[in-house]
Amino acid sequence: MSKLVIVGTVAFDAIETPFGKTDKILGGAATYIGLAASQFNVDSAAVSIVGGDFPQEYLNLLSDRKVDISGIEIVKEGKTFFWSGKYHNDMNTRDTLATELNVLADFQPVVPAAYRDSKIVMLGNLHPLVQLSVLEQMESKPELVILDTMNFWMDCALDDLLNVIKKVDVITINDEEARQLTGEYSLVVAASKIQEMGPKYVVIKKGEHGALLFHKDNVFYAPALPLKEVFDPTGAGDTFAGGFAGYLTKSDDISFENMKNAVIYGSTLASFCVEKFGTERMVSLKSSEVHQRLQQFKSLTQFDIELT
Amino acid sequence: MSKLVIVGTVAFDAIETPFGKTDKILGGAATYIGLAASQFNVDSAAVSIVGGDFPQEYLNLLSDRKVDISGIEIVKEGKTFFWSGKYHNDMNTRDTLATELNVLADFQPVVPAAYRDSKIVMLGNLHPLVQLSVLEQMESKPELVILDTMNFWMDCALDDLLNVIKKVDVITINDEEARQLTGEYSLVVAASKIQEMGPKYVVIKKGEHGALLFHKDNVFYAPALPLKEVFDPTGAGDTFAGGFAGYLTKSDDISFENMKNAVIYGSTLASFCVEKFGTERMVSLKSSEVHQRLQQFKSLTQFDIELT
């Protein structure tokens, strides 16, 4: 079976939305990516770092789902990365209330030996130098390297970011970030410029408006499922990435046609993630529910115009 | 063959975009709707009003495409409705620079006798009382009445608008207008509330983010084709409505499944409309080009996940 390496934060989040607020709960990019990828029963490993304050039960949540946690370093005397944010009424914008790097400040990722030959690597949002270090530990060039990032690194580590972007096959990025990275308003033009930077495939996430996959002159558009309410958007982008990477790992087919399916799986899983606070919905998610929602995605998008 | 009645403005527009500006050119909701519907070779009639200053060649553009113009009243001593607007850099917002109602101020629509038994009626954006008057002239209840409107009427003629909304089968409206009409941020909830107001089908237009079709618990999402540049958005919404109405008139099937196709045709035609100033692209549009772009829409949205 193909293997998947995931690097990203494993963290505490405290979230406030118009629907309520949480204390410190389980969060982090690698957490959401791992939970999403676990839906595909793939052999994955999370590479991350936590402090001595991090509950074993949170780690068990991952290992119970066959996410290898031997690459999650535990710094007994350290504190776990903490992020706190508050969403505005439209759920599309948020204010960061607190960011405590803690053990993340000195994170030196180590990919477990058994995963250095993985076919797929998912570089979750982190400092580009940490992402690069993971890539450099791989024994041979992975079949597919997927990078997620955010505007923060464009603002304060652009050269490092461009350097890692050069080395990846797929980038997932949101619309505003794609515009910031390229200085282009049109997402078609932005995606084309990003392909010149390195990645052959560009996924632009547009939140409630869905996601676009670009490759050369090909475009695929997966809508987001229209929802009655978005309860908490935290982790939706990471869940998308985890679904995308997990599906590709399982299906062992990295063609553009199959990447379309991966985008649909990513969107499907993200549509669950936002239904409850934090990881709650992803933890309880059953494969029968995923199957049913894929059916909804089909009727949402498929039409029947005969063209000759 | 089924017949289609179109009511709306036939007008002069002066448009400014980041790409340039025009003098007074052909515009108006009924113009764009008629041009789009003409792609389906349906038997349609435009009901509107112009002044003595309106060039015969503009009327010929419609009649050449089998849009009956006997319902377009010409007020020899009057001046044609004029709108002028300027688009911002993002093309999603615009300022109205001038609105001169002229002959439109006293418009009493008259549906040509030969079209009072039409199966489909497309009520283009106009004062709700004018839209209502057209409906009242129909001999029997049409099979399908489609209403387009805008926030302006919600601000200054809400009661009249709600009265006409009550009597239609389909409403096309943009996302912000749907929110304004219902006071709901979620488009799923807004569409549900609008269905309670009368229309069984609700189409929410989201510009570059595509369009949603709602009917009871069913949703269909047609993306907009991602474009390198949007040259001039004027008339895109009317072109969408004209493609939607024209396709349904031609196919003579008003099921939800077929309405999905109508939404795709509307989106396809709208994607051409924005490529040049005003009606220029719609006037030159060939059916082979439409066919090719429908193919693009298919590869843009269709995926191949087998579900059992």
Side-chain angles (χ1 to χ4, degrees):
Chain A
M1 189 194 268
S2 300
K3 286 182 281 189
L4 170 67
V5 167
I6 299 162
V7 63
T9 53
V10 170
F12 289 129
D13 285 349
I15 303 159
E16 192 173 338
T17 80
F19 299 103
K21 58 190 289 186
T22 71
D23 291 328
K24 281 187 177 183
I25 59 172
L26 174 61
T31 306
Y32 284 102
I33 294 169
L35 287 173
S38 76
Q39 284 290 328
F40 303 94
N41 283 312
V42 294
D43 189 2
S44 69
V47 177
S48 194
I49 190 168
V50 295
D53 57 345
F54 198 72
Q56 184 63 38
E57 60 170 294
Y58 283 173
L59 293 173
N60 293 348
L61 267 183
L62 292 172
S63 56
D64 287 352
R65 285 165 181 76
K66 294 184 194 155
V67 181
D68 185 289
I69 56 170
S70 64
I72 303 182
E73 183 187 350
I74 302 173
V75 183
K76 284 263 180 282
E77 68 284 10
K79 286 179 68 184
T80 302
F81 172 58
F82 171 65
W83 175 82
S84 169
K86 179 178 174 172
Y87 290 88
H88 300 168
N89 278 331
D90 70 358
M91 290 287 192
N92 285 323
T93 50
R94 68 184 185 191
D95 293 327
T96 288
L97 303 178
T99 308
E100 298 170 13
L101 284 182
N102 299 328
V103 293
L104 199 64
D106 304 307
F107 179 35
Q108 305 284 343
V110 179
V111 179
Y115 288 88
R116 289 189 188 165
D117 61 349
S118 293
K119 281 198 179 166
I120 298 195
V121 176
M122 175 72 232
L123 303 172
N125 175 43
L126 263 182
H127 195 295
L129 289 179
V130 174
Q131 296 177 316
L132 196 63
S133 158
V134 165
L135 268 194
E136 286 168 349
Q137 293 172 50
M138 301 306 290
E139 275 168 16
S140 56
K141 194 184 168 338
E143 263 186 27
L144 198 73
V145 179
I146 307 160
L147 174 90
D148 190 40
T149 188
M150 68 182 294
N151 51 358
F152 181 76
W153 309 115
M154 297 173 201
D155 295 333
C156 68
L158 183 60
D159 287 346
D160 293 331
L161 178 62
L162 290 174
N163 194 28
V164 67
I165 284 178
K166 217 181 285 179
K167 299 177 198 301
V168 307
D169 304 294
V170 185
I171 185 172
T172 70
I173 192 171
N174 79 29
D175 43 3
E176 284 319 308
E177 290 159 356
R179 287 173 174 138
Q180 178 174 345
L181 186 61
T182 60
E184 294 289 345
Y185 182 80
S186 159
L187 296 179
V188 177
V189 180
S192 168
K193 283 203 171 178
I194 294 172
Q195 287 179 68
E196 288 168 16
M197 296 176 185
K200 294 184 289 294
Y201 302 91
V202 176
V203 177
I204 298 183
K205 299 174 287 183
K206 306 200 300 170
E208 61 164 327
H209 303 302
L212 288 159
L213 167 67
F214 293 91
H215 172 58
K216 294 181 183 166
D217 288 337
N218 301 309
V219 198
F220 177 66
Y221 193 145
L225 197 71
L227 297 169
K228 273 199 185 137
E229 66 181 34
V230 169
F231 194 81
D232 172 19
T234 309
D238 298 316
T239 300
F240 174 90
F244 181 84
Y247 176 77
L248 290 176
T249 305
K250 183 194 177 195
S251 58
D252 209 9
D253 169 1
I254 58 170
S255 67
F256 180 75
E257 284 305 311
N258 198 47
M259 265 189 211
K260 291 181 176 182
N261 296 344
V263 168
I264 293 291
Y265 269 97
S267 300
T268 300
L269 293 177
S271 77
F272 286 107
C273 178
V274 302
E275 289 182 347
K276 295 197 174 174
F277 268 129
T279 59
E280 191 180 344
R281 189 67 183 89
M282 295 310 293
V283 166
S284 72
L285 187 60
K286 292 185 179 60
S287 68
S288 59
E289 295 172 311
V290 176
H291 187 276
Q292 190 181 20
R293 193 154 292 180
L294 280 169
Q295 195 66 60
Q296 278 181 275
F297 261 91
K298 272 203 154 178
S299 58
L300 179 69
T301 58
Q302 307 301 285
F303 57 89
D304 196 24
I305 295 175
E306 285 297 326
L307 295 173
T308 47
Chain B
M1 188 193 272
S2 299
K3 287 182 281 191
L4 169 67
V5 168
I6 298 162
V7 63
T9 53
V10 171
F12 288 129
D13 285 348
I15 303 159
E16 193 173 336
T17 80
F19 299 104
K21 57 190 290 188
T22 71
D23 291 329
K24 281 186 177 185
I25 58 172
L26 174 61
T31 306
Y32 284 102
I33 293 169
L35 288 173
S38 76
Q39 285 290 329
F40 303 94
N41 283 312
V42 295
D43 188 1
S44 69
V47 177
S48 193
I49 189 168
V50 294
D53 57 346
F54 198 73
Q56 184 62 39
E57 60 171 293
Y58 283 173
L59 293 172
N60 293 349
L61 267 183
L62 291 172
S63 57
D64 288 351
R65 285 164 180 76
K66 294 186 193 150
V67 180
D68 185 289
I69 57 170
S70 64
I72 302 182
E73 183 186 348
I74 302 172
V75 183
K76 284 263 178 284
E77 68 284 10
K79 285 179 69 184
T80 301
F81 172 58
F82 171 64
W83 174 81
S84 171
K86 179 178 175 172
Y87 290 88
H88 300 169
N89 278 331
D90 70 359
M91 288 289 192
N92 284 324
T93 50
R94 68 185 186 191
D95 293 327
T96 289
L97 303 177
T99 308
E100 297 171 14
L101 284 182
N102 298 328
V103 294
L104 200 65
D106 303 307
F107 178 35
Q108 305 284 343
V110 179
V111 179
Y115 288 88
R116 289 186 188 168
D117 61 349
S118 293
K119 281 197 180 168
I120 298 195
V121 176
M122 175 70 232
L123 303 173
N125 176 41
L126 263 181
H127 195 295
L129 289 179
V130 173
Q131 295 176 316
L132 196 63
S133 157
V134 164
L135 268 195
E136 286 168 348
Q137 292 172 51
M138 301 306 289
E139 275 168 16
S140 56
K141 192 180 170 340
E143 263 186 27
L144 198 74
V145 179
I146 306 161
L147 174 89
D148 190 40
T149 189
M150 69 183 293
N151 53 356
F152 180 77
W153 309 115
M154 296 173 201
D155 294 334
C156 69
L158 184 60
D159 287 347
D160 293 330
L161 178 62
L162 290 174
N163 194 26
V164 67
I165 284 178
K166 216 180 286 178
K167 299 178 197 299
V168 307
D169 304 294
V170 185
I171 185 171
T172 70
I173 192 170
N174 78 28
D175 43 3
E176 284 319 308
E177 290 159 355
R179 287 173 173 139
Q180 179 175 345
L181 186 59
T182 61
E184 294 289 345
Y185 183 79
S186 158
L187 297 179
V188 176
V189 180
S192 169
K193 281 203 172 178
I194 294 172
Q195 287 179 67
E196 288 168 15
M197 296 176 184
K200 294 184 288 294
Y201 303 90
V202 177
V203 177
I204 298 184
K205 300 174 287 184
K206 306 201 298 170
E208 62 164 327
H209 303 302
L212 288 160
L213 168 66
F214 293 90
H215 173 57
K216 295 182 184 165
D217 287 338
N218 301 308
V219 198
F220 177 66
Y221 193 146
L225 197 71
L227 297 169
K228 274 203 183 134
E229 65 181 36
V230 169
F231 193 81
D232 171 21
T234 308
D238 298 316
T239 300
F240 175 91
F244 182 83
Y247 175 77
L248 290 177
T249 305
K250 183 194 177 195
S251 59
D252 209 9
D253 170 0
I254 58 170
S255 67
F256 180 75
E257 284 305 311
N258 197 47
M259 264 188 211
K260 291 181 175 182
N261 296 344
V263 169
I264 292 291
Y265 269 98
S267 300
T268 300
L269 293 177
S271 77
F272 286 107
C273 179
V274 302
E275 288 182 349
K276 294 198 174 175
F277 268 129
T279 59
E280 192 181 342
R281 189 67 183 91
M282 295 311 291
V283 165
S284 72
L285 187 60
K286 292 183 178 61
S287 67
S288 58
E289 295 173 310
V290 176
H291 187 277
Q292 192 181 19
R293 192 154 292 181
L294 280 169
Q295 196 66 59
Q296 280 180 273
F297 262 91
K298 273 203 155 179
S299 57
L300 179 68
T301 57
Q302 308 300 285
F303 57 89
D304 197 24
I305 296 176
E306 286 298 326
L307 296 173
T308 49

